[in-house]
Amino acid sequence: MKWRPVVSSQFLKLWELVALSVFFLVMLFVIFPKGRLERYVADEKDKNPQLALIYLRELDRIRPSPEFKLMIAKTSLQLGHYEDAERYIKEIDYTALKEEDLIDLYFILKRLYFDTKNKDYYAYAQKVLKALQTSSSLKTLELVYREAIDMAMPSLALSSSLRISSLKKNKDILWLERTYKHALELKNYTLAKRYLEYLIEEDKARRAYWLREYYNLAMAMEDTKLALEVLINLYTIEPAERERIKQSIAWLLLKSSQNPELLLKEYMMKHPYQEMYYMDILATLYRAKKAYKKAFEVYSVLYEKVKDPREKALIYKNIIGLLLEAKDYNTLKDFIERNYVNHLDNLELLKLTLRASLATGDPSFAYKIAKDIAGRIK
């Protein structure tokens, strides 16, 4: 009779499997030092999450650690065991976690919040993001910023953009702008002002845009002097917008001061090189106050001083508009008669001159000017 091997068809029972797992875990503690063991188990849980969960619970029982609890929570969530995930999350001391584990914890909390609508998870997630703000990694900080925006955490968005701005070697316009806008949104006007000043200095291509923002900020801060200074800066760098800006300056001066001329003079004394601008704005201010005689006197001096043909043409146009508004037709006739010859090459001003001559109500004067213009431009 030949000997035959006996083959058992019985598989290991569950308790035997667990016993072997525990033995295996003990061997893991012997073989792997702290840190490498966690990485090993993390790799295993992706291959067999149910078995990994048994390992992890035993590991945490033998040597409790926030890393094991985090992996248990993550694996439980992966298997749909929400109660287990929530229980282990509550036991985690997040302050003891490394940066990469904190990031994992945050995303677990985010998922739990959206799945359960439990606001406690939102508050916890916010704490974890705040802890991540101490990182010196721009990649981590940018993740915090994106998540703060996604989770509607405006204060956190501001503080993380501030942190990123401070770590950038050169002033990064994108992050300066983000910091300014978040500060403005939270009505932190002092911080918004500081970052807006950086933007005005650094973003040369959009300086006019940032100055307009600065004006709006000054008005929100109810700082009239700052608003005035910003408007005058805008006036000096945006020739095409000067007429509109002048009106805004005049309105601001009249609205904010009992003595607007003095307020304007105080500013201009600090910037004496801007005398021409000062006179132009002062004349606009007098016109807004309907002090037409004073406005005409200032404009007349300015008209004589200005040499640039385009600037002179603009002042000529303003003087005619001023005198028509004041219905001072005698002064208007005298001004036209003495000065229209300076603008014979400007068809638009010649048409304005003819219309203004007719508006004086003196047909003979209008005919004389029209005839004279016709004779000079042949």
Side-chain angles (χ1 to χ4, degrees):
M1 183 176 179
K2 283 187 178 181
W3 175 84
R4 292 180 184 175
V6 178
V7 179
S8 173
S9 62
Q10 185 179 8
F11 291 100
L12 290 174
K13 293 184 176 64
L14 180 61
W15 70 268
E16 292 174 317
L17 184 61
V18 171
L20 279 172
S21 299
V22 171
F23 174 75
F24 177 64
L25 290 174
V26 173
M27 294 305 297
L28 286 178
F29 275 115
V30 174
I31 296 168
F32 290 96
K34 184 171 169 48
R36 286 182 61 193
L37 175 58
E38 285 84 344
R39 287 196 295 274
Y40 175 83
V41 176
D43 291 339
E44 286 298 309
K45 75 180 175 59
D46 294 328
K47 297 173 186 174
N48 191 336
Q50 289 179 325
L51 187 58
L53 200 53
I54 297 170
Y55 292 164
L56 287 166
R57 282 176 177 155
E58 284 302 314
L59 284 170
D60 189 55
R61 186 180 64 79
I62 297 166
R63 192 179 73 194
S65 81
E67 289 84 1
F68 289 144
K69 287 178 173 59
L70 178 65
M71 284 191 278
I72 293 169
K74 194 172 182 180
T75 308
S76 298
L77 206 57
Q78 182 183 345
L79 294 168
H81 302 162
Y82 276 81
E83 288 184 6
D84 285 348
E86 292 179 85
R87 178 164 63 85
Y88 276 94
I89 282 290
K90 288 172 183 174
E91 294 178 12
I92 294 173
D93 175 12
Y94 73 91
T95 61
L97 290 174
K98 299 190 293 293
E99 189 173 291
E100 61 190 70
D101 292 327
L102 272 175
I103 293 170
D104 278 348
L105 175 59
Y106 165 74
F107 282 109
I108 291 172
L109 292 166
K110 182 179 180 180
R111 178 174 167 182
L112 284 171
Y113 168 67
F114 282 114
D115 287 351
T116 67
K117 308 303 178 190
N118 185 334
K119 291 183 179 177
D120 289 342
Y121 291 124
Y122 180 90
Y124 194 177
Q126 192 167 34
K127 284 182 182 178
V128 173
L129 284 179
K130 282 182 180 176
L132 284 166
Q133 277 190 321
T134 59
S135 173
S136 57
S137 162
L138 284 172
K139 184 179 178 181
T140 298
L141 290 169
E142 287 174 8
L143 180 144
V144 173
Y145 175 79
R146 289 193 302 273
E147 290 302 316
I149 297 293
D150 188 48
M151 295 289 279
M153 300 173 178
S155 295
L156 196 57
L158 172 60
S159 55
S160 56
S161 66
L162 262 172
R163 175 87 172 133
I164 292 166
S165 292
S166 69
L167 289 177
K168 294 277 185 180
K169 290 182 180 178
N170 299 315
K171 287 188 171 69
D172 186 307
I173 290 170
L174 172 65
W175 288 103
L176 293 177
E177 181 173 351
R178 284 175 173 173
T179 303
Y180 158 68
K181 288 183 175 177
H182 291 305
L184 191 63
E185 179 189 359
L186 292 170
K187 293 185 167 53
N188 187 338
Y189 294 143
T190 302
L191 186 61
K193 180 174 179 286
R194 191 202 323 162
Y195 274 79
L196 196 46
E197 286 168 355
Y198 290 151
L199 285 162
I200 291 166
E201 181 66 28
E202 298 294 327
D203 194 1
K204 306 291 186 189
R206 293 194 294 166
R207 187 163 185 262
Y209 169 79
W210 293 122
L211 280 170
R212 285 192 289 273
E213 285 286 304
Y214 205 11
Y215 168 73
N216 292 332
L217 178 63
M219 294 300 288
M221 295 171 70
E222 299 182 351
D223 188 336
T224 303
K225 287 189 177 181
L226 178 60
L228 175 63
E229 185 167 345
V230 173
L231 278 179
I232 293 173
N233 276 334
L234 267 172
Y235 171 90
T236 62
I237 67 168
E238 288 206 294
E241 295 290 321
R242 274 183 192 162
E243 291 304 304
R244 184 182 61 79
I245 295 169
K246 279 194 306 183
Q247 301 303 322
S248 297
I249 293 171
W251 171 84
L252 180 63
L253 287 165
L254 289 169
K255 177 178 177 290
S256 60
S257 176
Q258 298 268 331
N259 192 341
E261 295 94 329
L262 181 61
L263 184 59
L264 180 60
K265 188 175 182 181
E266 282 175 3
Y267 172 80
M268 288 303 178
M269 283 176 69
K270 297 175 189 174
H271 308 276
Y273 60 90
Q274 294 181 348
E275 183 190 7
M276 298 294 189
Y277 300 148
Y278 165 63
M279 293 178 72
D280 189 20
I281 294 167
L282 183 61
T284 304
L285 174 62
Y286 282 139
R287 183 174 178 178
K289 292 177 69 175
K290 300 192 184 304
Y292 297 122
K293 187 175 180 181
K294 286 184 176 180
F296 176 68
E297 287 171 358
V298 175
Y299 267 139
S300 295
V301 173
L302 189 58
Y303 184 75
E304 294 303 320
K305 282 191 171 191
V306 167
K307 304 302 178 189
D308 181 87
R310 288 173 298 181
E311 295 287 336
K312 206 170 187 73
L314 189 56
I315 297 165
Y316 180 85
K317 186 177 178 180
N318 281 331
I319 290 174
I320 287 178
L322 169 74
L323 294 173
L324 283 171
E325 187 180 314
K327 297 180 180 178
D328 187 349
Y329 300 125
N330 289 332
T331 305
L332 177 58
K333 288 193 288 185
D334 179 62
F335 177 76
I336 288 173
E337 197 163 17
R338 285 187 295 106
N339 296 294
Y340 82 89
V341 292
N342 296 326
H343 306 285
L344 291 172
D345 58 345
N346 189 322
L347 185 59
E348 182 189 345
L349 284 191
L350 291 179
K351 288 178 181 177
L352 173 66
T353 300
L354 291 173
R355 288 197 300 271
S357 300
L358 286 167
T360 63
D362 184 342
S364 60
F365 172 75
Y367 174 75
K368 176 188 170 187
I369 294 298
K371 185 180 178 182
D372 200 16
I373 287 174
R376 288 176 181 272
I377 62 175
K378 278 182 182 179

